[in-house]
Amino acid sequence: MSISDLAPRTRAAFPTPLLTALTLTVAGLVLLGFGATTPQLVTPVKAAIALLGLGMAFAGASRLGRIRSGPGFDLVFWFGAGWLVVLGLAILLAPLLPLGEDRDVASTVLEPAFATPVFTGANPLGTNAFGLDLLARSLYGARSSLVISLSAVAVGTVIGGAIGMVAGYFQKSVDRAVGIATNSLLAVPPLILLIALATVLEPHLRNVALSLALLTIPGMVRLARATTMAYANREFVVAARAMGATRSRIMLRELLPNVLLPLLSLAVVMISVLIVAEASLSFLGLGIQPPEPTWGNMIAEGEGRVFEDHPHIVLVPGAFLFLTVFAFNIVGEKARGRWDSRSVKL
């Protein structure tokens, strides 16, 4: 068999769209790695090369996904989900990873202060003014931020969902009382409410989480109420009532499964809101206090001329914050589109 006989089979094994997508992806990853690691170029040029490589890799990976899974493939969603998985694993395995010191300034006296990021060095993302490793602080800061946000969302979902279901099922005077309380809570600007609570409560994880939970309750109450009212007169609820089921049984067995999925999809979106809220409190000095790292107090270290002279002090935790909030928004919106297709208007 001659080489000319193999050529058609080779072209058939690697169709032109697939070959183009592979080439674009590999070239983009090479440019991204070069721009992120080369020390020979100035920072703006390295950033431009890295962004170009990222765009090429994204375009190539999108084509590969559409070839593999069809036109409905959403690379942005998978990127967001992948980032959350990687971040979660990194947080859980942080004590086992070869990370630098994240909070003990006494052990970093000899470490370089404001070291710039060198991805192949001992401090891949650089250090702060005390020589503390920014990668380690970002991961342990993610642990604090996510524990606070997840706890606050869990508390708000349980309390707000229960109150909303009671209001939507009983209606009348109960619904009016819940509506007045919910509107009163919404009338207070969220940041003002958080600042007021932070001034009277100790800045512990539990207190910050409970304060942030107040932000989630009104939205959960409204969604649970609207969903409960939409299902309260459905056939299966009327049948259960006619068979003598108690109100508590109807709410727990018939209504709760239908209310739960929309609440969970909203809860995923609310996590991103609370991450930003917690970072805002820490940035203002009202949240978790240093040396305990959170993304907010890490960003606050760039106040004054520090950001101008050492931008990575702000950019590193800012990138973690942006990517995490972006990922939760994307995953949450995808979940809402799938689980809450009725689009209940509040």
Side-chain angles (χ1 to χ4, degrees):
M1 183 178 292
S2 63
I3 296 178
S4 60
D5 295 330
L6 293 175
R9 295 185 181 182
T10 303
R11 286 193 296 268
F14 293 96
T16 300
L18 179 59
L19 185 60
T20 302
L22 284 172
T23 303
L24 196 59
T25 303
V26 173
L29 292 176
V30 170
L31 283 177
L32 178 60
F34 176 77
T37 59
T38 180
Q40 285 82 15
L41 301 175
V42 296
T43 301
V45 176
K46 292 194 295 184
I49 294 175
L51 288 176
L52 176 61
L54 181 62
M56 292 174 60
F58 182 85
S62 296
R63 294 186 181 186
L64 287 175
R66 288 193 293 268
I67 293 172
R68 176 66 176 82
S69 304
F73 178 78
D74 187 357
L75 180 62
V76 176
F77 166 77
W78 287 109
F79 170 79
W83 169 260
L84 294 179
V85 171
V86 171
L87 182 63
L89 291 175
I91 292 173
L92 293 176
L93 300 176
L96 305 177
L97 298 177
L99 300 173
E101 180 58 43
D102 67 295
R103 68 191 70 186
D104 186 7
V105 296
S107 64
T108 59
V109 174
L110 300 179
E111 296 292 332
F114 295 122
T116 56
V118 179
F119 296 101
T120 56
N123 304 112
L125 300 181
T127 61
N128 67 357
F130 302 101
L132 298 175
D133 184 68
L134 288 183
L135 176 58
R137 287 180 62 79
S138 296
L139 292 181
Y140 284 104
R143 177 179 294 182
S144 300
S145 298
L146 290 179
V147 166
I148 291 173
S149 302
L150 292 174
S151 302
V153 167
V155 172
T157 301
V158 172
I159 296 177
I163 294 174
M165 287 185 63
V166 170
Y169 184 78
F170 290 97
Q171 299 184 26
K172 297 182 180 179
S173 59
V174 175
D175 188 26
R176 287 194 294 270
V178 170
I180 293 173
T182 303
N183 291 329
S184 299
L185 193 58
L186 289 173
V188 182
L191 186 59
I192 301 299
L193 176 63
L194 291 178
I195 292 175
L197 291 173
T199 55
V200 298
L201 297 176
E202 293 292 330
H204 298 309
L205 287 174
R206 180 186 60 188
N207 292 337
V208 176
L210 291 177
S211 300
L212 292 176
L214 291 177
L215 299 183
T216 67
I217 290 178
M220 295 298 178
V221 169
R222 288 189 166 195
L223 180 59
R225 170 185 174 275
T227 309
T228 300
M229 293 178 66
Y231 282 99
N233 294 318
R234 297 286 293 272
E235 295 82 358
F236 58 91
V237 177
V238 174
R241 191 180 296 118
M243 294 173 64
T246 61
R247 292 175 175 176
S248 59
R249 179 181 176 84
I250 291 175
M251 294 180 66
L252 293 176
R253 298 293 298 275
E254 307 297 338
L255 294 175
L256 181 60
N258 295 287
V259 175
L260 188 59
L261 287 180
L263 285 181
L264 291 178
S265 61
L266 178 61
V268 176
V269 178
M270 288 300 297
I271 292 173
S272 63
V273 176
L274 296 190
I275 290 175
V276 175
E278 186 277 329
S280 301
L281 284 180
S282 297
F283 179 82
L284 295 173
L286 300 174
I288 305 302
Q289 300 297 309
E292 181 75 20
T294 68
W295 290 333
N297 62 34
M298 289 178 65
I299 294 174
E301 294 177 4
E303 291 181 325
R305 294 189 57 85
V306 175
F307 177 68
E308 298 179 10
D309 299 331
H310 311 284
H312 68 281
I313 296 296
V314 174
L315 295 180
V316 169
F320 273 88
L321 176 64
F322 169 79
L323 290 175
T324 305
V325 171
F326 176 81
F328 272 116
N329 279 332
I330 293 298
V331 174
E333 289 299 326
K334 195 80 170 182
R336 292 186 69 179
R338 180 174 181 178
W339 293 340
D340 195 21
S341 58
R342 294 171 293 106
S343 299
V344 178
K345 295 184 179 180
L346 304 183

